[in-house]
């Protein structure tokens, strides 16, 4: 239900993905699913405790690629898997407006 406060201090605490609703919306709005992924645009909302490795896994799953072929970048810097979003925010993005902007690159497969 819209405009209903779920939790006073942590409003996003009990929210979860509703696959059925997502499928209905994708069927009602032609081309929405494809347009969400065109041009590399992937806004992702995650916990400050999430690590770069978690983002890589989500991205690889969505793109259908092997984990070793995707890198997460801040500018031109490849980020280490163990770095948390909080560490990244404090060390590289502190004082800038949200959201934190990251990029990814796909490494070519070796033959």
């Amino acid at each position: 239900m819209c405009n209903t406060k779920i939790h006073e201090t942590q409003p996003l605490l009990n929210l979860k993905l509703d696959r059925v609703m997502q499928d209905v919306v994708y069927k009602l709005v032609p081309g929405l699913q494809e347009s969400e992924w065109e041009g590399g645009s992937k806004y992702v909302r995650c916990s400050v405790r999430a690590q770069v490795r978690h983002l890589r896994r989500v991205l690889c799953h969505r793109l259908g690629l092997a984990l070793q072929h995707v890198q997460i970048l801040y500018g031109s810097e490849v980020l280490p898997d163990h770095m948390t979003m909080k560490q990244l925010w404090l060390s590289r993005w502190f004082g800038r407006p949200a959201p934190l902007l990251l990029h990814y690159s796909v490494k070519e497969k070796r033959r």
Side-chain angles (χ1 to χ4, degrees):
M1 182 176 287
C2 296
N3 296 324
T4 302
K5 198 174 275 191
I6 296 171
H7 192 277
E8 190 66 35
T9 59
Q10 295 178 324
L12 302 176
L13 181 67
N14 293 318
L15 295 181
K16 63 180 181 175
L17 181 63
D18 185 343
R19 291 276 183 206
V20 174
M21 182 62 76
Q22 184 178 17
D23 290 342
V24 169
V25 171
Y26 284 153
K27 287 179 181 169
L28 290 174
V29 183
L32 176 63
Q33 186 172 15
E34 294 80 17
S35 68
E36 286 182 346
W37 290 101
E38 284 180 4
S41 296
K42 279 147 200 106
Y43 290 97
V44 177
R45 186 175 195 143
C46 62
S47 166
V48 295
R49 293 178 287 185
Q51 296 178 343
V52 170
R53 83 180 74 230
H54 301 130
L55 295 180
R56 282 183 54 211
R57 286 182 183 155
V58 168
L59 188 58
C60 289
H61 177 72
R62 290 289 181 123
L63 296 174
L65 296 170
L67 194 60
Q68 66 268 21
H69 297 296
V70 175
Q71 297 174 324
I72 303 291
L73 306 169
Y74 175 79
S76 60
E77 173 190 3
V78 176
L79 297 173
D81 275 346
H82 61 82
M83 180 176 268
T84 65
M85 293 301 104
K86 184 173 184 175
Q87 290 171 325
L88 182 58
W89 180 272
L90 292 173
S91 65
R92 312 245 187 353
W93 199 261
F94 188 77
R96 295 184 182 184
L100 168 64
L101 182 60
L102 300 175
H103 295 92
Y104 71 92
S105 69
V106 178
K107 297 186 283 186
E108 293 205 21
K109 298 176 184 177
R110 292 186 180 176
R111 294 179 187 214

